[in-house]
Amino acid sequence: MKYKVSIAAGLFFCLLNVSVNAQKSNMHSPAFSTLANGKIVFKIAKPDFKLSPHTGMTRQHWKDAAQYLLEGAFSYIHSLDDPMKFPKQTGKSYPRTESQVPTEKLEGVCRTLFMAAPLLKENPSLEVNHIKVADYYLHQIKNLIDSSSPSFIKHRAKNGGPSQNLVEFGALSFSLFNIPEILWDPLTQKEKDALAATMISYGDGPTVPSNWKFFNIFVLSFFKDKGYPINEKLLEEYLQKSLDHYRGDGWYNDNPAFDYYSMWAFQMYGEMWSEIFGKKYYPQYAAKFQANFSEVKNSYPYMFSRNGEMIMWGRSMTYRFGSVIPFPLMGYEKDAAVNYGWMRRISSGVMLQFLKNPEFIKEEVPTLGFYGAFEPAVQSYSCRGSAFWMGKAFLGLFVPADNAFWTAVENEGSWKKEFDKNKVYNKYLPGPQMLITDYPNIGAAELRAWCRVKQIGAGEPFRSSENYNRLSYNSAFPWQADSSNGTVAMAYVLKNKKNEWEPLRLYDFKKFEDGAFYRDAVLETNSNIKLNLIDVPLPDGILRIDKITADTATEVRLGHYALPNVKGFIKEQKKKVNGYDVRIIDNGIYQLAMVSIAGWKNLEVISAKGLHPVSDESKVIDAVDAGTASSKVYVTMMLWKRSGEQWNWKEMLPQKKVVLSASNNQVDIMINNKTVAVKFN
């Protein structure tokens, strides 16, 4: 069986740091190793454990990682005319028609430039696969304005709307800003004018009411900086509208969701636009973007595990470690309140989370998915080259080498200085109404965030999918996709009138109070089925106290997190503890326990295939009930330990039976001599 192994799960394949046989690979960088099974992973050459005691990675290793990925892309380039076009991954990704191929090529060029640009800044003579990198990108830019080239991009039609071309031209503008001496200055005046006309035709036009406004902003800003007349009124309009997305606590809303786009889009674009253009031309807007950026340090670092692993959450997971770009950009702030050693430890850790995974690279380039290819996490707007959006992380290399982000000694920040074992730490963010929870006992971070998008008739059904509708997301336990047979992980599913298992999608946040996170939810296909949901994070898991109100008895299932099969087995246990039914699964890395405290008919361990991003096989514990035609309260404990650790049931389980009020509106539970009291609205 073929296993996809997750660093988030704490397991590495045995890495063999051996010389690579050039006949087996097109990659020539010394910064990679070949595993026993022939797969390629990134290797840290000469790690520096004095400066970086946790990862060994320095600024030079970031450059090595950028070149490692760039060499994979350039394995498809044998002449200046070869496009950055990669093998299509089976599934919903594009291109699906021949008309999409020019945009696919544009994505490949503009997104791989995120890795190439900082390398070219320091080494304009860089060669990869016997191709001069600067010459290649300059030639490809010229192809964009050459009507005889297959890569030619037409001007936006007079009444044309926003398109993927706008996105990529925004990205290209960013690279033009950073290395004009390589990508802009060598062009003839005629070529400059033609490129300006093409790109401005997109920038001076409509956009999508989300982070897309920044693509217009960067196009218009670059050409204004170069003396071209641009629509300054529209530029200011998009700047203000972008600022209007800010909700506080370091988070922008991407209309409609909160996700990593707040960080690898809004915060990155706002900060870098301010540095390279805004402070000079529009200081009033730059000041606002930078004030919003300064708040990132207060919440975002807590969303990553102690080992520096990101949570699988939201759309475009294929961009992976692009999520860390705000951390190096904090170097521009030169803020004494920023723990730069922690910021780099997180950033390098997330990078290694994927670069060290043997499923990450296939056919020399990153897959679409999370670790390896994973179709449930892929969106139809992505092509294979889209994954190089992760290259945004390497834009941190434009931060000077003597900056504190690069020179501070790596440390574990709050995990070492503030967090104590056997405690749980909640950070509630009122602006986006998000809850970040850190668990010192296993070093994991967890997130609860907004989701309220209907799937019926939706143009973008992924917005109400597992990417957003889980009850919580955890760095140690990547989300598992739902199954038509009712197998579910970290979510409720209910049997609807079509006899289909329907997950909750329509949540309304209520409050965070006394360590409890309150939400209400309604079933999309039947508004008479409502749930009041209460999450209480505990040192070793979650206490759930949920109330269902329905006009008809409906089958209900609730899932714990799922465990992937990464060692060839997942053990199961069934026991009775203090009168409570307990089911345990153990995959040799973690063990998960589900405890039925009240309301449930029984607990089941369900095996699944092809639903988990880490392994083809997985298991999950589901609680099951036939439901009620009135109201009913379910009390459930979802617990975890590392494999091999003992369960302390005396501290984990209620000392007394749960007390429910006559109206089912109040629940009192005593755990470890502390009373948890919650009241439904």
Side-chain angles (χ1 to χ4, degrees):
M1 176 169 293
K2 176 183 175 184
Y3 295 117
K4 294 179 279 185
V5 178
S6 161
I7 291 178
L11 180 67
F12 292 86
F13 268 64
C14 178
L15 301 181
L16 303 178
N17 294 331
V18 297
S19 298
V20 176
N21 187 332
Q23 295 179 349
K24 292 183 178 180
S25 173
N26 289 321
M27 304 177 74
H28 301 288
S29 169
F32 68 93
S33 295
T34 298
L35 302 178
N37 59 4
K39 293 183 180 293
I40 295 172
V41 296
F42 178 71
K43 179 183 73 173
I44 303 174
K46 298 180 181 178
D48 184 345
F49 291 112
K50 184 175 181 181
L51 180 64
S52 302
H54 299 282
T55 68
M57 286 191 74
T58 64
R59 188 174 184 275
Q60 179 58 50
H61 296 115
W62 279 47
K63 291 169 63 178
D64 291 345
Q67 183 158 338
Y68 164 74
L69 292 172
L70 194 65
E71 290 187 351
F74 267 80
S75 69
Y76 290 88
I77 307 302
H78 304 285
S79 74
L80 296 183
D81 273 319
D82 288 343
M84 278 289 179
K85 188 179 186 304
F86 312 111
K88 185 185 184 302
Q89 184 170 299
T90 302
K92 65 175 79 76
S93 63
Y94 91 91
R96 295 173 292 277
T97 65
E98 194 63 27
S99 64
Q100 294 175 312
V101 172
T103 300
E104 177 195 17
K105 295 176 182 177
L106 183 62
E107 281 206 46
V109 167
C110 296
R111 298 191 178 204
T112 55
L113 253 176
F114 284 145
M115 301 172 300
L119 298 178
L120 288 170
K121 189 75 172 180
E122 298 184 23
N123 179 16
S125 300
L126 177 67
E127 288 191 20
V128 176
N129 196 25
H130 308 297
I131 300 290
K132 287 191 174 182
V133 175
D135 290 351
Y136 175 78
Y137 285 107
L138 189 62
H139 184 75
Q140 288 296 314
I141 288 173
K142 292 179 181 181
N143 282 348
L144 300 176
I145 54 177
D146 181 357
S147 60
S148 67
S149 170
S151 298
F152 175 68
I153 301 294
K154 297 178 180 179
H155 287 204
R156 181 180 64 89
K158 185 176 181 180
N159 297 316
S163 67
Q164 193 67 35
N165 289 344
L166 169 63
V167 176
E168 306 314 320
F169 279 140
L172 179 57
S173 299
F174 195 84
S175 294
L176 290 169
F177 258 125
N178 282 292
I179 51 171
E181 69 278 11
I182 293 172
L183 301 180
W184 176 256
D185 295 344
L187 297 174
T188 66
Q189 190 59 50
K190 183 179 179 180
E191 290 168 336
K192 290 176 180 177
D193 293 346
L195 185 63
T198 299
M199 293 177 66
I200 290 175
S201 77
Y202 289 90
D204 184 9
T207 193
V208 176
S210 65
N211 70 87
W212 278 45
K213 289 183 283 291
F214 274 104
F215 305 129
N216 304 74
I217 288 169
F218 272 103
V219 170
L220 297 175
S221 296
F222 177 76
F223 288 106
K224 173 180 171 62
D225 189 54
K226 295 306 176 184
Y228 287 85
I230 58 108
N231 188 340
E232 297 197 35
K233 182 179 179 181
L234 185 66
L235 174 57
E236 290 203 54
E237 176 187 333
Y238 285 162
L239 286 168
Q240 185 55 56
K241 285 184 175 179
S242 295
L243 285 165
D244 290 343
H245 284 261
Y246 192 63
R247 298 293 183 270
D249 301 300
W251 288 87
Y252 289 83
N253 181 271
D254 196 37
N255 190 22
F258 292 98
D259 51 36
Y260 287 111
Y261 276 88
S262 183
M263 300 301 169
W264 61 40
F266 283 97
Q267 289 290 15
M268 187 205 91
Y269 297 143
E271 177 68 8
M272 297 207 77
W273 176 87
S274 299
E275 285 293 325
I276 61 182
F277 179 83
K279 288 180 179 178
K280 178 180 178 181
Y281 293 98
Y282 298 98
Q284 69 277 25
Y285 292 110
K288 292 177 181 177
F289 281 121
Q290 291 189 302
N292 294 346
F293 182 82
S294 69
E295 295 189 351
V296 172
K297 63 179 177 291
N298 299 322
S299 65
Y300 195 47
Y302 296 86
M303 259 181 62
F304 296 82
S305 78
R306 183 168 190 163
N307 288 335
E309 295 150 339
M310 68 181 286
I311 295 171
M312 184 181 179
W313 163 63
R315 67 188 180 103
S316 299
M317 274 295 90
T318 189
Y319 303 162
R320 286 118 160 167
F321 55 76
S323 61
V324 306
I325 182 56
F327 298 131
L329 296 187
M330 289 178 186
Y332 286 130
E333 292 189 294
K334 298 179 181 178
D335 184 351
V338 175
N339 182 342
Y340 289 105
W342 187 24
M343 300 304 101
R344 195 175 77 256
R345 190 271 176 276
I346 294 172
S347 302
S348 296
V350 176
M351 203 172 284
L352 294 176
Q353 178 183 0
F354 300 98
L355 292 175
K356 287 286 192 180
N357 191 284
E359 299 299 326
F360 173 64
I361 297 290
K362 184 178 180 181
E363 300 162 316
E364 312 288 10
V365 292
T367 53
L368 296 176
F370 192 56
Y371 290 107
F374 186 58
E375 185 67 7
V378 178
Q379 279 74 61
S380 61
Y381 54 74
S382 291
C383 66
R384 194 67 180 275
S386 299
F388 286 109
W389 211 238
M390 72 182 72
K392 286 181 174 182
F394 299 114
L395 297 174
L397 290 167
F398 286 117
V399 175
D402 61 356
N403 187 275
F405 177 79
W406 299 114
T407 61
V409 176
E410 266 188 359
N411 64 79
E412 294 183 305
S414 294
W415 292 98
K416 183 73 171 180
K417 297 178 180 178
E418 300 173 29
F419 296 164
D420 295 325
K421 285 290 188 79
N422 300 318
K423 290 186 178 181
V424 63
Y425 294 86
N426 291 310
K427 185 176 286 289
Y428 172 63
L429 311 179
Q433 297 178 337
M434 294 166 58
L435 181 67
I436 300 172
T437 304
D438 293 304
Y439 297 95
N441 283 359
I442 63 168
E446 192 171 66
L447 178 69
R448 291 164 177 82
W450 179 93
C451 179
R452 202 181 201 288
V453 178
K454 292 183 177 181
Q455 189 170 80
I456 299 172
E460 297 179 321
F462 57 80
R463 293 191 180 277
S464 59
S465 73
E466 297 93 330
N467 294 281
Y468 295 98
N469 71 6
R470 306 294 84 173
L471 293 166
S472 57
Y473 295 86
N474 192 292
S475 62
F477 311 111
W479 61 257
Q480 175 172 287
D482 290 342
S483 170
S484 59
N485 67 2
T487 300
V488 63
M490 198 44 68
Y492 273 97
V493 291
L494 298 92
K495 205 58 139 342
N496 62 24
K497 294 178 181 178
K498 293 183 178 181
N499 204 35
E500 298 171 337
W501 288 104
E502 179 180 333
L504 297 180
R505 308 180 185 105
L506 306 179
Y507 296 86
D508 285 306
F509 170 78
K510 292 303 178 182
K511 63 181 177 179
F512 177 68
E513 182 177 272
D514 296 330
F517 191 74
Y518 292 73
R519 288 171 288 185
D520 290 347
V522 61
L523 195 67
E524 182 178 355
T525 61
N526 186 350
S527 60
N528 292 320
I529 298 178
K530 302 176 182 179
L531 288 90
N532 306 118
L533 307 169
I534 304 176
D535 303 47
V536 184
L538 303 171
D540 292 294
I542 305 164
L543 170 64
R544 296 209 57 82
I545 307 172
D546 304 320
K547 177 182 176 183
I548 185 171
T549 304
D551 60 351
T552 181
T554 304
E555 290 182 71
V556 183
R557 299 179 73 95
L558 169 67
H560 199 333
Y561 289 119
L563 285 183
N565 185 343
V566 292
K567 286 193 171 184
F569 65 88
I570 300 179
K571 297 178 181 178
E572 300 179 27
Q573 290 186 62
K574 181 178 181 181
K575 57 173 59 182
K576 204 96 167 175
V577 182
N578 296 343
Y580 301 117
D581 288 329
V582 180
R583 297 299 292 269
I584 302 170
I585 55 177
D586 185 337
N587 71 347
I589 300 169
Y590 291 105
Q591 47 185 329
L592 300 178
M594 199 171 200
V595 186
S596 175
I597 303 296
W600 296 108
K601 181 179 180 181
N602 64 291
L603 302 176
E604 300 176 353
V605 175
I606 311 294
S607 297
K609 288 184 70 70
L611 300 182
H612 202 282
V614 177
S615 173
D616 292 332
E617 293 186 348
S618 59
K619 288 187 180 182
V620 65
I621 311 170
D622 284 1
V624 181
D625 189 46
T628 177
S630 55
S631 68
K632 188 174 186 179
V633 172
Y634 297 109
V635 182
T636 321
M637 300 195 77
M638 300 171 165
L639 304 172
W640 50 70
K641 289 279 189 184
R642 293 190 183 277
S643 186
E645 294 182 354
Q646 297 298 311
W647 296 94
N648 189 337
W649 300 115
K650 183 177 181 181
E651 292 183 359
M652 290 178 153
L653 298 184
Q655 277 85 40
K656 302 176 181 178
K657 287 293 183 183
V658 176
V659 178
L660 304 177
S661 66
S663 61
N664 279 346
N665 279 338
Q666 174 127 1
V667 180
D668 296 304
I669 303 174
M670 181 176 286
I671 300 175
N672 200 17
N673 297 318
K674 294 181 181 179
T675 299
V676 176
V678 297
K679 189 172 183 179
F680 296 110
N681 295 329

